[in-house]
Amino acid sequence: MITEKVISNAPYAASAVTVIAGFTVKDWGVIIGVILTFITVIVNWIYKHRQDQRETILFQQKLKHKKH
């Protein structure tokens, strides 16, 4: 049963290896650059979201303080 799974998935694995082996150094540079850019955007969005939450809380506290 396990060998059937391995045999049926072997062409997909071979295709993936062929595609990866065909990449040049420039291709890898572009792929890594895109991945790192995507990670940077996500990290910046997370930190900006947290900053907005903190500033909202501080603003609400200042409004409450002015009312009293």
Side-chain angles (χ1 to χ4, degrees):
M1 189 181 294
I2 293 175
T3 56
E4 291 176 12
K5 289 181 181 179
V6 171
I7 291 172
S8 66
N9 289 327
Y12 299 114
S15 297
V17 169
T18 302
V19 168
I20 291 172
F23 287 159
T24 64
V25 174
K26 289 181 183 179
D27 294 335
W28 281 111
V30 170
I31 292 168
I32 292 170
V34 168
I35 291 170
L36 290 177
T37 301
F38 185 69
I39 290 171
T40 302
V41 167
I42 291 172
V43 169
N44 284 339
W45 182 84
I46 290 170
Y47 279 102
K48 192 65 174 171
H49 181 71
R50 289 180 182 173
Q51 181 183 9
D52 289 346
Q53 285 179 330
R54 287 190 305 267
E55 289 176 355
T56 300
I57 291 169
L58 288 174
F59 179 72
Q60 290 172 350
Q61 289 174 350
K62 285 181 181 179
L63 284 178
K64 286 180 181 179
H65 183 68
K66 285 186 177 184
K67 288 182 180 179
H68 293 140

